[in-house]
Amino acid sequence: MRLFLALDLDAAARARTVEVQRRARRAPALRDVAVRWVRPENLHLTLAFLGEVDAGRAAPMARAAAEPWRHAPFRVELATADVAPPSGAPRTLWLSVSAGRAQLARLHAEARARMGPLLSAPVDPRPPGHVTLGRLRRAPRSSGGRVREAVAGLAVPAFGWRVDSVALYESRLAPGGASYRPLARAPLGCVILDAVP
Ligand code: 3AM
């Protein structure tokens, strides 16, 4: 099973993200590029990709993910539309996090500490920072310049939502695109409010 931890967008942020996808679709420079757009119900902010795990390990991982997180709820904002990688053939279109990065990094550290001991491979140490809009299929290297220019020109007004839970998802890959099944969800907010000797 392919598992990952993610933060769900709220309904308003999802609608705003879908609007950015709609505008990107209409950009003349992107019209002839094959993009597999993330479906609205699949939009998420990946907190940590956990990789392929044996089905037998899913239950302890779901139990670990279902414990309340030791982090207060916080606001994440998305602003700039961007293309990855920054050079060469463009592969992914995403919205970058413009506010909430420090909190995301702390939550990511908690996710690594919590899930790492249950995994056979270490979790990517890079903190998360984007919501994927779509993936380009076989876009030639030569399209990189105009794709990056078109995406940079989208001028996305910042929007955000309050992150108040973390979910564990199973990702099932299929020719028509991945589908995500939630396995566990736990709230943020289990915090020690003052120094405890
Ligand atoms: O939400 P994003 O696009 O950032 O790219 C995959 C997606 O991230 C990522 O996990 C998220 C849910 O599928 N992912 C998939 N395979 C991966 C891998 N081998 C991976 N991340 C790192 N290594």
Side-chain angles (χ1 to χ4, degrees):
M1 299 168 82
R2 282 162 75 83
L3 302 181
F4 66 100
L5 292 171
L7 311 179
D8 296 323
L9 280 64
D10 71 8
R14 203 173 287 272
R16 298 286 294 271
T17 307
V18 169
E19 179 53 29
V20 177
Q21 288 176 314
R22 201 171 292 139
R23 285 177 46 214
R25 255 194 200 108
R26 290 201 297 256
L30 294 177
R31 274 203 200 125
D32 63 339
V33 180
V35 181
R36 178 177 285 156
W37 298 99
V38 177
R39 294 196 295 271
E41 67 273 20
N42 279 354
L43 288 167
H44 64 272
L45 195 161
T46 297
L47 180 65
F49 178 71
L50 304 174
E52 197 70 46
V53 305
D54 295 340
R57 311 248 301 273
M61 293 188 69
R63 277 195 295 275
E67 290 288 323
W69 293 78
R70 291 178 185 278
H71 196 297
F74 61 100
R75 187 169 168 81
V76 158
E77 282 190 3
L78 306 175
T80 327
D82 218 340
V83 178
S87 61
R91 275 204 278 276
T92 309
L93 307 184
W94 69 41
L95 284 174
S96 292
V97 171
S98 56
R101 278 188 176 267
Q103 293 94 328
L104 275 176
R106 279 202 297 275
L107 194 54
H108 174 74
E110 187 179 347
R112 288 178 67 206
R114 189 184 285 208
M115 309 307 279
L118 302 173
L119 296 168
S120 48
V123 179
D124 189 341
R126 288 172 299 180
H130 67 261
V131 169
T132 296
L133 298 171
R135 297 184 176 83
L136 286 82
R137 286 183 283 180
R138 298 177 297 280
R141 202 182 170 84
S142 59
S143 67
R146 70 183 160 94
V147 167
R148 289 187 179 88
E149 204 173 306
V151 169
L154 285 175
V156 180
F159 65 91
W161 75 100
R162 185 176 185 265
V163 174
D164 58 10
S165 66
V166 174
L168 175 70
Y169 283 98
E170 178 191 5
S171 165
R172 291 182 172 172
L173 303 178
S179 64
Y180 302 142
R181 185 167 72 103
L183 302 179
R185 183 174 281 111
L188 301 191
C190 181
V191 290
I192 294 170
L193 295 174
D194 207 346
V196 179

